[in-house]
């Protein structure tokens, strides 16, 4: 049959309802490592795009074992799972992968293998990509192969107890969050486990949020993901008696009215604010007497973070890893981020333009109201950053809207 005739036949079958074509769900690129960082070429948010981050994301619908995998739902063996690729993907892109090895059944002891220096990075965003990858990998192992171990050990990049102690040292790296997944061990550990889950490149799933402008419409629409919120609840350390993630109770009593929390960046190599006093004065105009500066530090525990962030009505700050702490806020919390937008090149020579989308998409997956104020005079790599009067004015207007949205969300809450 000629190609044109085949296409006409397929189209006719679709029109008649005899054939359903399942296109790749979502409009966002999933393979950031290979340079697919277009920021705005996709379609608006759809139910399919939102569903890609729902619980269905961890089924065979999106992850499939490769040829040669021997693991079954009740037996032993090894399975390498790869993320399903749309036909439109570039040939040079590599699929994300996870490997699961079951030595014996029933599985009582499980090792989660995360031997990458970034899995215990002091940069909380980098660390969270691995924490989310571990959550995703364990859900795949549980749902597809019935692996629900009694004891879990996370194997980080170290060789012995001395190096593991260094990882726990707040002055070096603090693997905050891993305790929620299991006991900590070293990747060189020779202990025997019933099963091992190798994260592979699962951390790339969350990295797909970084520069994806296509998913922004989902964020604006509040396309919350049950799976993402369950991971966030796990990281908060909030679980019920059955081990199901739940929202933690309020920690401190609220301020008079919703607190406007300013995520204060420690002075460092990038994005140091020149006119901090002007910014704080603007915040006081918006919420007199209700402004709280929060500078999270590496040694803080989940309890510390909850105590600082849980009663925030609105989060405000410039782009930075401190925004990951949105997971410690209540569902009614809203967000306004000031983000650098001037074009720049990364260390690989790739060019980016416009505000990064890390936290817009993160807020979207959590179902939070979010606005970005783009500063086209600033680059993500600038050491010093002075917000212009125009940017401050836009930020003030966005904060007023955020307070209104917070009030509406509180009114809707049970």
């Amino acid at each position: 049959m000629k190609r044109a005739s085949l296409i006409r036949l397929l189209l006719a079958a679709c029109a008649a309802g005899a054939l359903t074509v399942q296109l790749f769900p979502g409009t966002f690129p999933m393979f950031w490592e290979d340079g697919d960082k277009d920021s705005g070429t996709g379609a608006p948010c759809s139910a399919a795009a939102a569903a890609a981050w729902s619980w269905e994301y961890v089924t065979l619908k999106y992850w499939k074992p490769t040829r040669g995998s021997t693991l079954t739902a009740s037996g032993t063996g090894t399975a390498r799972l790869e993320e399903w690729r749309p036909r439109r993907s570039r040939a040079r892109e590599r699929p994300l992968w996870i490997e699961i090895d079951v030595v014996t059944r029933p599985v009582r002891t499980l090792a989660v293998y995360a031997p990458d220096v970034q899995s215990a990075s002091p940069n909380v965003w980098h660390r969270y990509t691995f924490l989310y990858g571990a959550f995703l990998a364990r859900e795949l192992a549980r749902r597809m192969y019935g692996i629900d171990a009694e004891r879990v050990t996370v194997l980080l990049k170290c060789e012995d107890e001395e190096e593991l102690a260094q990882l726990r040292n707040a002055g070096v790296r603090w693997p905050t969050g891993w305790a929620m997944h299991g006991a900590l061990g070293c990747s060189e550990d020779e202990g025997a486990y019933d099963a091992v889950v190798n994260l592979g490149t699962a951390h790339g799933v969350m990295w797909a949020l970084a520069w994806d402008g296509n998913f922004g419409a989902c964020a604006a629409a509040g396309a919350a993901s049950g799976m993402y919120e369950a991971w966030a609840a796990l990281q908060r350390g909030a679980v019920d008696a059955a081990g199901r993630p739940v929202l933690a109770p309020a920690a401190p009593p609220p301020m008079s009215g919703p607190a406007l929390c300013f995520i204060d960046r420690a002075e460092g190599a990038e994005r140091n604010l020149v006119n901090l006093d002007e910014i704080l004065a603007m915040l006081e105009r918006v919420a007199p007497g209700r402004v709280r500066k929060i500078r999270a530090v590496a040694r803080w525990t989940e309890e510390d973070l909850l105590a600082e962030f849980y009663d925030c009505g609105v989060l405000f700050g410039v782009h930075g890893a401190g925004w990951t702490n949105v997971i410690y806020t209540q569902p009614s919390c809203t967000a306004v981020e000031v983000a650098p937008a001037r074009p720049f090149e990364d260390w690989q020579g790739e060019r980016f333009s416009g505000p990064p989308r890390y936290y817009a998409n993160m807020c979207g997956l959590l179902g939070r109201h979010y606005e970005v104020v783009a500063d086209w005079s600033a680059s993500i790599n600038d050491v010093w950053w002075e917000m212009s009067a125009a940017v401050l004015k836009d930020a003030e207007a966005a904060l007023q809207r955020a307070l209104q949205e917070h009030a509406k969300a509180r009114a809707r809450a049970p």
Side-chain angles (χ1 to χ4, degrees), residues 20-36:
T20 300
V21 179
Q22 177 67 48
L23 298 178
F24 182 65
T27 60
F28 47 89
M30 294 300 296
F31 309 100
W32 68 280
E33 295 95 338
D34 297 303
D36 193 1

Side-chain angles (χ1 to χ4, degrees), residues 261 263 309 312-317 323 325-326 329 333-336 399:
C261 296
I263 303 172
F309 284 94
C312 292
V314 178
L315 283 185
F316 174 81
W323 273 99
N325 294 310
V326 69
T329 63
C333 181
T334 57
V336 176
L399 284 167

Side-chain angles (χ1 to χ4, degrees), residues 118 123-133 176-177 206 231 235 302 305 324-325 327-328 362:
Q118 294 298 324
N123 183 304
V124 67
W125 166 266
H126 291 200
R127 189 168 69 246
Y128 275 18
T129 63
F130 282 88
L131 289 164
Y132 184 77
T176 302
M206 191 158 155
W231 166 76
Q235 296 307 140
E302 281 73 21
L305 292 164
T324 55
N325 294 310
I327 71 171
Y328 296 101
M362 197 172 184

